[in-house]
Amino acid sequence: MDEIASLLATINSVLGYLILAICALVLLFISARYIVRQIAEVRIGRTQPALALFRSTLAFLEAVLVIFFFILLPEFLPGSPHTWRWIFLYLVIPTIPALYFRKYRGRQAFIAMVILLTIALVGWSYAQWLGILFISAPIYVIGTLLTHKLAQVILPSSNPEDPTEIRQKFRILLFYLLGMQYPYWAVQGKATHDTVKRIDGDFFVKWTAPGAVWMYSHQVAGISAGIEFDNIEGPGIVFTDTYNRPIAIVDLRTQIRVAELDALTKDGVPIRPVIFTSFGIDRENWPKKGWKSEEIRRLSEDVQANPHLRQGLDIDRPIGSFPYSTGRVKAALSMTGVHSSYEEPADKIIHWDDWVVAQVKNAARHVVSQRNLNELWHPRQNRPGIGALDEMAQEIREIVEPQLRRAGIALFSSRIVNYVLPPDSEIAKQQIESWKVIWTQKTKALEAEVQAMYQEQIEKAHAYAKSAFLDAIAAAIQRVLRRTSRFATSCDRHLLHPCYRGISPQKPRSQYTRGPPTVRND
């Protein structure tokens, strides 16, 4: 037994010196790598030499102080050096995360570090380094595996079979349990621009990354590490790195907006048109099939006007139900905050779709201002099937479409669908009365024209009736003449009968004819 105990003590002693040496080398390696990084930043001009020297010296002193307090100093203090090392560990390791993350979950970080140290102390108390190796380490392994499995169940997934996503989800849950997590964001709804921070955290600590942003399948997020959009990610769950945070959410579905605006007609009548607009992020490759040279030249001008479109010629994210181009989404988000409508307060954030609606409102207001009140309903060009609303819709599209195209947005429809006249407007009432008079005159003129046409048709009918009557008389006379002619012809034929052939013409006619009958009185 003594030999076994002596062997275990020797092993523990060797492991102790080996682990302390490894810790010292790791600290020195971390310090040296940081110094090399500072030198590289000085060479590329990103950091001033004085600042780099100060940071390098500070990192080296930190490593030296840690080695001194945890490795060298306990050897000179009374009592067991290992006891002093455990005291230093309990004083330093839980305190540093608690102070660093006190704004977020410092208490949780303190408790987590105490639990981890206690597990290691239990193994140390049993058999020192061998106890940590065979008791504490298995507990850590089991806890890590449970955390890994639990992370895959709790956290949402975009691609559950992706090894990178599996690893990132594990790190998210692990650092959350340790109280040292990055912020976790989630969208507020299916149709929203903003995210809500579900769990706060410090995204300036590199070794506790990543954070997460959760979205629906039709949404993507603009991720920024400063004042510009560094990347476009989504949909689903997105993992954020150091300094990254979501700035805006873009809905890839076709957007439909109905809005009212204040406008003034050319003759000074205030009116509120109702605008219908349909638009969305363009989801087709550029140039499109069948484009003409003029359209390709216009695309070149749009790319020069908005540099984000240089990476937006192709759909580089074709996966999913809503393929999109990151360049076009960046171009649309570059309009966020652009104040382009006098109706909106100056301190309001103008999102990309609000900017589109503002452009359509401005164009509709301009189109209405070029027309009189009567021309809002009556087309300027009398073409079959084209009304005043169709003409104004075409004018609005000609104004708005080039602006939206330079922002990577496709305009599907934009038109005025209705008007709202203020009931208390005296000018509107007068104009409406004048409008009624004009239409009454037009109606009377039309009625007079119809009446004239009616009289003309009546006269034509009378003339036709007279003509028909005269034609009937002429036809009757002709029939009588024909009958008379036939009668005369018949009489002539009768006189030429053979019984009349022996009659002497010298004899009176009465000799050959019977006289009246004799009446006898007997």
Side-chain angles (χ1 to χ4, degrees), residues 247-475:
I247 299 298
I249 300 297
V250 176
D251 194 334
L252 299 177
R253 300 175 298 181
T254 299
Q255 304 296 302
I256 297 177
R257 298 290 186 273
V258 178
E260 296 183 4
L261 64 120
D262 294 321
L264 199 66
T265 62
K266 189 176 182 180
D267 48 0
V269 180
I271 194 170
R272 288 186 63 85
V274 180
I275 306 296
F276 170 83
T277 306
S278 175
F279 58 93
I281 301 295
D282 200 326
R283 295 190 291 267
E284 296 186 14
N285 290 323
W286 293 346
K288 298 178 183 178
K289 185 178 181 180
W291 272 24
K292 300 179 181 179
S293 59
E294 180 181 355
E295 295 173 321
I296 296 176
R297 179 182 57 80
R298 184 191 61 192
L299 175 62
S300 177
E301 295 175 355
D302 295 340
V303 171
Q304 293 179 0
N306 193 335
H308 291 292
L309 294 179
R310 295 175 183 174
Q311 290 80 32
L313 299 179
D314 298 323
I315 302 299
D316 54 356
R317 300 291 177 86
I319 301 175
S321 302
F322 302 94
Y324 66 95
S325 169
T326 55
R328 297 175 199 175
V329 176
K330 286 183 179 180
L333 289 179
S334 64
M335 301 300 171
T336 301
V338 176
H339 183 68
S340 55
S341 176
Y342 75 89
E343 296 179 348
E344 304 293 344
D347 57 346
K348 181 181 178 181
I349 297 177
I350 305 298
H351 298 281
W352 73 278
D353 51 345
D354 297 330
W355 176 80
V356 174
V357 176
Q359 300 304 312
V360 175
K361 283 184 177 181
N362 292 338
R365 189 178 292 110
H366 174 75
V367 170
V368 171
S369 66
Q370 303 300 314
R371 290 174 174 258
N372 296 323
L373 181 65
N374 181 45
E375 293 176 340
L376 298 181
W377 286 270
H378 185 71
R380 291 177 175 178
Q381 299 179 1
N382 189 11
R383 292 178 295 175
I386 304 297
L389 296 181
D390 299 321
E391 289 182 348
M392 288 188 288
Q394 182 63 29
E395 295 173 4
I396 293 173
R397 189 179 189 90
E398 291 176 356
I399 297 174
V400 176
E401 190 172 25
Q403 302 174 2
L404 301 188
R405 189 175 58 246
R406 293 175 182 175
I409 300 171
L411 180 64
F412 304 126
S413 175
S414 60
R415 61 185 297 116
I416 298 174
V417 295
N418 198 2
Y419 302 101
V420 178
L421 294 175
D424 55 347
S425 175
E426 295 297 333
I427 298 178
K429 292 179 180 179
Q430 294 177 3
Q431 293 293 335
I432 291 174
E433 292 298 328
S434 301
W435 183 52
K436 289 182 179 179
V437 171
I438 293 173
W439 279 101
T440 301
Q441 293 176 355
K442 291 183 178 181
T443 303
K444 290 182 178 180
L446 184 62
E447 290 178 353
E449 183 179 355
V450 172
Q451 186 67 28
M453 293 175 61
Y454 173 74
Q455 293 296 335
E456 182 181 358
Q457 294 297 327
I458 290 295
E459 291 177 0
K460 289 182 179 181
H462 288 169
Y464 176 78
K466 291 179 181 179
S467 176
F469 180 71
L470 292 176
D471 291 342
I473 293 176

Side-chain angles (χ1 to χ4, degrees), residues 1-13 127 130:
M1 295 295 294
D2 294 337
E3 293 179 357
I4 295 176
S6 177
L7 179 61
L8 293 177
T10 302
I11 294 174
N12 282 323
S13 179
L130 291 175

Side-chain angles (χ1 to χ4, degrees), residues 62-341:
E62 289 176 352
V64 171
L65 288 176
V66 171
I67 294 173
F68 175 75
F69 278 102
F70 284 93
I71 299 177
L72 301 178
L73 182 60
E75 298 292 339
F76 300 98
L77 294 177
S80 174
H82 299 300
T83 303
W84 286 106
R85 290 191 179 99
W86 281 108
I87 293 174
F88 288 154
L89 288 175
Y90 268 94
L91 290 176
V92 175
I93 291 182
T95 304
I96 291 178
L99 294 177
Y100 202 92
F101 297 94
R102 65 185 182 276
K103 182 180 178 181
Y104 309 104
R105 297 178 70 228
R107 183 179 178 182
Q108 175 70 22
F110 181 85
I111 295 174
M113 291 297 103
V114 170
I115 292 175
L116 293 178
L117 286 175
T118 303
I119 294 174
L121 182 58
V122 170
W124 176 269
S125 301
Y126 185 78
Q128 294 188 0
W129 292 108
L130 291 175
I132 293 177
L133 183 60
F134 292 102
I135 296 177
S136 302
I139 295 176
Y140 292 146
V141 172
I142 293 173
T144 302
L145 292 176
L146 291 177
T147 303
H148 184 275
K149 296 297 183 182
L150 189 61
Q152 311 311 316
V153 176
I154 294 178
L155 298 177
S157 299
S158 296
N159 186 3
E161 298 180 357
D162 185 8
T164 303
E165 180 175 322
I166 294 173
R167 184 174 62 255
Q168 296 287 54
K169 290 166 64 176
F170 163 69
R171 288 176 59 86
I172 286 176
L173 185 58
L174 175 63
F175 286 114
Y176 172 77
L177 295 177
L178 296 178
M180 298 178 288
Q181 75 285 339
Y182 266 34
Y184 305 149
W185 288 274
V187 293
Q188 295 180 343
K190 294 183 178 179
T192 184
H193 308 99
D194 305 316
T195 56
V196 58
K197 189 180 292 186
R198 295 287 180 84
I199 299 175
D200 203 355
D202 190 354
F203 51 85
F204 294 100
V205 184
K206 296 183 179 180
W207 50 273
T208 60
V213 181
W214 181 84
M215 297 165 290
Y216 288 93
S217 60
H218 57 270
Q219 296 171 333
V220 294
I223 307 297
S224 174
I227 60 175
E228 297 181 354
F229 297 102
D230 295 333
N231 201 2
I232 305 297
E233 297 293 343
I237 186 171
V238 175
F239 303 103
T240 58
D241 206 346
T242 309
Y243 312 124
N244 289 343
R245 63 190 186 279
I247 299 298
I249 300 297
V250 176
D251 194 334
L252 299 177
R253 300 175 298 181
T254 299
Q255 304 296 302
I256 297 177
R257 298 290 186 273
V258 178
E260 296 183 4
L261 64 120
D262 294 321
L264 199 66
T265 62
K266 189 176 182 180
D267 48 0
V269 180
I271 194 170
R272 288 186 63 85
V274 180
I275 306 296
F276 170 83
T277 306
S278 175
F279 58 93
I281 301 295
D282 200 326
R283 295 190 291 267
E284 296 186 14
N285 290 323
W286 293 346
K288 298 178 183 178
K289 185 178 181 180
W291 272 24
K292 300 179 181 179
S293 59
E294 180 181 355
E295 295 173 321
I296 296 176
R297 179 182 57 80
R298 184 191 61 192
L299 175 62
S300 177
E301 295 175 355
D302 295 340
V303 171
Q304 293 179 0
N306 193 335
H308 291 292
L309 294 179
R310 295 175 183 174
Q311 290 80 32
L313 299 179
D314 298 323
I315 302 299
D316 54 356
R317 300 291 177 86
I319 301 175
S321 302
F322 302 94
Y324 66 95
S325 169
T326 55
R328 297 175 199 175
V329 176
K330 286 183 179 180
L333 289 179
S334 64
M335 301 300 171
T336 301
V338 176
H339 183 68
S340 55
S341 176

